[in-house]
Amino acid sequence: MTKFQIGIVGSGGAATSGAAQFSKIDAANIRAVASRNDHTGEQLARRHGAKFIPNWRDLVQHGDVDAVAIFTHNDSHAEIAIAALEADKHVFVEYPLARSIDQGQAVIRLAKSKDRVLRVSHSEPVSNMHQAIKRKVQGLGGLLWTGFWRLTPGRGARPEILFNLPVSGPPAHFFIYHVYPVVDLFGPASWVESAAVYEGMNGEGQYNRFVNAVTVGFSSGGVGQWTWAGGVETNRPEQHCRYVLNGATVLNDGNGWHCAASAGVEEIRPIGASSVSIQELWTHEILDGDSETAIADTAIAFEAIRISLAAEQSMQEQKRIVLT
Ligand SMILES: NC(=O)c1ccc[n+]([C@@H]2O[C@H](COP(=O)([O-])OP(=O)(O)OC[C@H]3O[C@@H](n4cnc5c(N)ncnc54)[C@H](OP(=O)(O)O)[C@@H]3O)[C@@H](O)[C@H]2O)c1
C-alpha cells in the first residue's frame, strides 16, 4: 500500500500523543519530525523511524511530506499552518487555530484556495458523547443561558508556557476547547465581555494563578458565561456545565451528562459504541479527497477564537466588544 507521508512539528506532550495516534493508521506514515527542541525532537523522530529536521520551514517544504501536523505552542500554529498550506500540504493543527483574526482568516482562505484538508484538533466531530448532547439539545428549543466553570489547583505540565500571556494567550484562548462545543451547539456570538485577575504576573507576562470570566450574547439568542480559575488553592479540579434551554436543562456537574426537566432527570448516553480518533478522521478525509467537512468544522473553530480574541480585547479595552 502507498502510504501518505506526515510531517510532525513540535515534540512535546501533544506531539507525542498525536504521533502515537498517527502510528496506528495503516494508510499513514510519519516521515519527519521538526522541533526547535533537538533532544525531544530527535527522540520522537527515532521512536517513529522518522527523519529529524530541526527547522519546521524545511519540513513544510520537504518533497516527501504530503501533510503537516502542528503541535507547537499557540503563538506559532497559524504561521506554520500558512507556510504548510502555501507549500500545498494538508494541515492538522492543534487548537487554538490562531492568535489573531487575520491569521485565522488567512489559514482558512488558503485551505480553500489550495483545496487542502485543514482540520483543527477539536475532538467533538468524533465524540459520541458530544453528538448525543447535540441531538438532545436540538430537540429542546432555544437557549436561555449556558454556564461553565472550572477550578484547577495545578498549573499544567509546562506552567512557564501555559500561564504565559504572549505565548499561550489568556485562559479564554488556551481553554478554547471549552468554547468550541458551545459554539458548535449554539452558533457564533454577537458580543463578548471579559475580565481577568492574574496573580504574580512578571514583566514577561508569566503568572502564578488566575481567574478569567467571559460573558457572550449569542447571535441566535441566549447568554453564555465561562469562568476558569487555575493554580488556585483548592483540593481537586472541579468542572460544571449547564445548557438552560426552553424545554429542559442539560448539565454535567462531574457525574456525567443529564437532561433535567420538571418531569424528571434522564441520563444522556453516548451515541454508538466506538469512534475514530480526530487524527484518523483527518487522514480519511485526505484519502477520500473531502476537504469540505473539515473546513466546516474549522469555521466553528474560527468562531470559537473570535470569542477568545474578543475576550482578550474586552479585557484590554475594558468594554463590551460587538462582533459583526
Ligand atoms: N488536543 C489536545 O488534547 C491537546 C492537549 C494538550 C495540548 N494541546 C495543544 O497542543 C499544543 C502543544 O501543547 P503541549 O502540551 O504539547 O506543549 P509542549 O509539551 O510544551 O510541546 C510543544 C512543543 O513544540 C515545540 N515548539 C513550540 N514552539 C515552537 C516553534 N515556534 N517552533 C518549533 N517548535 C516549537 C516545543 O519546543 P520546546 O521544548 O523547545 O519548548 C515543544 O517541543 C498547544 O497549542 C496546546 O494547546 C492539545
Side-chain angles (χ1 to χ4, degrees):
M1 181 201 293
T2 313
K3 297 190 173 208
F4 84 93
Q5 306 295 323
I6 298 176
I8 286 184
V9 187
S11 53
T16 301
S17 50
Q21 289 294 340
F22 286 126
S23 70
K24 294 181 196 162
I25 301 169
D26 287 343
N29 180 53
I30 300 172
R31 178 75 178 81
V33 172
S35 179
R36 67 182 180 195
N37 187 322
D38 293 353
H39 176 65
T40 57
E42 275 177 10
Q43 229 174 23
L44 187 63
R46 205 173 317 117
R47 187 173 313 144
H48 294 283
K51 182 182 164 86
F52 175 63
I53 301 175
N55 189 331
W56 64 259
R57 290 182 190 280
D58 297 328
L59 179 139
V60 302
Q61 294 296 336
H62 202 291
D64 290 348
V65 167
D66 304 310
V68 175
I70 302 161
F71 297 97
T72 57
H73 298 141
N74 299 356
D75 57 347
S76 55
H77 291 176
E79 185 190 8
I80 302 171
I82 288 169
L85 288 163
E86 279 172 345
D88 290 321
K89 314 296 184 190
H90 301 283
V91 167
F92 178 92
V93 58
E94 268 303 338
Y95 50 64
L97 169 65
R99 270 297 277 130
S100 76
I101 292 294
D102 285 353
Q103 279 188 324
Q105 285 171 330
V107 177
I108 292 176
R109 213 171 27 240
L110 262 174
K112 285 182 179 168
S113 69
K114 297 275 189 177
D115 194 23
R116 299 290 87 183
V117 181
L118 164 68
R119 185 162 278 289
V120 186
S121 64
H122 293 287
S123 60
E124 280 72 15
V126 295
S127 160
N128 294 335
M129 195 65 234
H130 180 76
Q131 296 311 320
I133 294 164
K134 193 168 180 174
R135 191 182 288 180
K136 176 57 84 181
V137 159
Q138 278 165 352
L140 292 172
L143 175 75
L144 298 172
W145 175 74
T146 172
F148 172 94
W149 62 271
R150 179 188 169 102
L151 286 186
T152 44
R155 298 178 61 222
R158 295 194 66 181
E160 79 285 5
I161 298 294
L162 196 61
F163 284 27
N164 182 323
L165 285 178
V167 176
S168 295
H173 196 62
F174 64 72
F175 278 132
I176 199 71
Y177 52 97
H178 300 139
V179 179
Y180 180 99
V182 183
V183 175
D184 186 42
L185 296 176
F186 305 113
S190 54
W191 58 264
V192 179
E193 289 175 356
S194 184
V197 176
Y198 298 104
E199 186 275 326
M201 176 84 81
N202 69 19
E204 269 79 58
Q206 293 174 315
Y207 51 94
N208 295 325
R209 54 179 63 116
F210 71 87
V211 177
N212 186 184
V214 177
T215 306
V216 310
F218 290 99
S219 304
S220 60
V223 175
Q225 290 176 305
W226 290 262
T227 298
W228 296 273
V232 293
E233 271 307 318
T234 184
N235 60 330
R236 62 183 171 84
E238 278 185 72
Q239 189 168 305
H240 296 241
C241 184
R242 271 169 182 65
Y243 305 130
V244 182
L245 298 132
N246 272 305
T249 294
V250 170
L251 64 138
N252 186 345
D253 281 348
N255 296 307
W257 285 94
H258 293 83
C259 180
S262 43
V265 178
E266 171 205 344
E267 187 181 349
I268 303 175
R269 294 177 188 277
I271 294 171
S274 67
S275 77
V276 296
S277 68
I278 196 69
Q279 291 83 359
E280 229 173 322
L281 177 64
W282 177 63
T283 55
H284 290 168
E285 288 166 339
I286 294 172
L287 293 169
D288 295 347
D290 171 16
S291 57
E292 297 289 320
T293 312
I295 212 74
D297 291 340
T298 303
I300 299 165
F302 177 71
E303 288 301 336
I305 62 161
R306 281 186 86 200
I307 291 176
S308 61
L309 295 169
E312 188 171 21
Q313 188 187 348
S314 170
M315 286 184 264
Q316 286 160 354
E317 298 177 8
Q318 299 193 347
K319 64 175 194 192
R320 174 180 289 195
I321 306 301
V322 176
L323 301 174
T324 50

